[in-house]
Amino acid sequence: MPDIEWILLYLVLGALVGFVAGLLGLGGGGILVPLLSSIFIYQGINADNAIHLALGTSLACMIVSSTASIRAHASQNTVVWPAVGGMAPGVIAGGFLAAQAAAHINSVCIAIFFALLMATVAGQMFLNWRPEPSSKPLTFRGLIVAGIGIGSVSALAAVGGGFLAVTYLGYKNMNIKSAIGTSAAIGLPIAITGTIGYMISGWSITLNNPYTVGFVDVPAFLAIAFTSAIAASYGARCSHNLPDAFLKKIFAAISLLLSIKMLLFLA
């Protein structure tokens, strides 16, 4: 088994990720990927496998944190279930296919993609820029197309769809708290299908490691999932007591820090 120090670190990471997942409707993968990548490399895993392992493990952890976050947001009636149902088929298809493709993409390319995505989200939030709200209502076809895009990008960056879903739903005139709650629900099918995809794509690569299943590190998953499930409900409660503008600032600051962290990882 891994040293107790690593288990304790995973537990702390889980608490942080769970709180942020509940607060902002995210799966928490955006935080886990750069941090787990660094941890796995420090443990002696080569850089290419470390990023893929971080992506797969993060998506697995998001299954638990997203479930806890959904329960908390649903209790506040901020999940728009028709929107979730419309996006789910596209999210599942896009997430699974992208997870399969990710194993054949160079880790540097994935890291750059992750950093640029986070930086773009941060810039959009800091500048308070948003596309002119659409006058067209949400349609089933539009939700499926958006779901495919969000699911594909999220599986490559393990961000649970939260960043993209909140922006898209805001464009469709949904208020920030409902967008956050709905985003939390969308993150669950992404996490499940993405995890399965990374387990399959990494099976032959990490099969000799007794503590991994494909690109999922089991000890890290169990420890992070345990504390993230507990912390997610507290984050969700806080989100309903904070003003919308403040939530957007937190959203932007976290995005920028994650982008910088991944760029430093590449240096």
Side-chain angles (χ1 to χ4, degrees):
M1 284 294 290
D3 294 339
I4 187 64
E5 291 84 358
W6 294 118
I7 299 298
L8 292 174
L9 179 57
Y10 294 146
L11 291 171
V12 172
L13 275 179
L16 173 63
V17 166
F19 185 81
V20 172
L23 183 68
L24 300 176
L26 311 177
I31 295 174
L32 279 176
V33 172
L35 296 179
L36 281 179
S37 296
S38 299
I39 291 172
F40 291 150
I41 286 177
Y42 190 83
Q43 291 176 347
I45 298 172
N46 71 69
D48 197 45
N49 282 345
I51 289 183
H52 289 94
L53 191 61
L55 286 165
T57 305
S58 296
L59 284 164
C61 293
M62 281 160 47
I63 295 175
V64 178
S65 62
S66 291
T67 301
S69 182
I70 290 170
R71 292 181 60 187
H73 284 287
S75 69
Q76 300 291 331
N77 296 314
T78 57
V79 179
V80 182
W81 292 110
V84 175
M87 297 180 79
V91 159
I92 291 170
F96 183 78
L97 293 175
Q100 288 291 294
H104 306 288
I105 300 175
N106 186 278
S107 61
V108 174
C109 295
I110 293 178
I112 292 173
F113 174 76
F114 180 97
L116 290 175
L117 176 64
M118 296 295 100
T120 300
V121 171
Q124 184 254 331
M125 286 289 183
F126 274 127
L127 297 174
N128 200 29
W129 177 87
R130 57 181 296 179
E132 197 67 30
S134 173
S135 59
K136 298 179 181 179
L138 290 168
T139 63
F140 184 73
R141 180 180 177 182
L143 288 170
I144 287 182
V145 172
I148 291 173
I150 290 170
S152 300
V153 172
S154 300
L156 288 175
V159 294
F163 295 96
L164 298 175
V166 168
T167 301
Y168 172 74
L169 294 173
Y171 168 68
K172 287 296 186 178
N173 293 302
M174 188 178 291
N175 69 70
I176 184 68
K177 290 181 180 177
S178 292
I180 286 174
T182 304
S183 170
I186 292 169
L188 182 58
I190 292 175
I192 293 173
T193 54
T195 298
I196 294 172
Y198 276 102
M199 288 171 66
I200 293 172
S201 64
W203 185 262
S204 61
I205 298 173
T206 59
L207 188 59
N208 292 328
N209 187 327
Y211 303 124
T212 62
V213 179
F215 282 129
V216 176
D217 185 286
V218 177
F221 159 66
L222 292 175
I224 292 170
F226 174 72
T227 50
S228 67
I230 297 171
S233 60
Y234 292 98
R237 291 175 194 171
C238 287
S239 75
H240 297 291
N241 296 320
L242 293 173
D244 290 359
F246 186 66
L247 284 174
K248 289 181 179 180
K249 297 296 184 188
I250 296 175
F251 202 99
I254 290 176
S255 301
L256 182 60
L257 288 173
L258 293 172
S259 176
I260 293 171
K261 170 63 179 172
M262 189 56 88
L263 288 175
L264 289 175
F265 172 79
L266 291 172

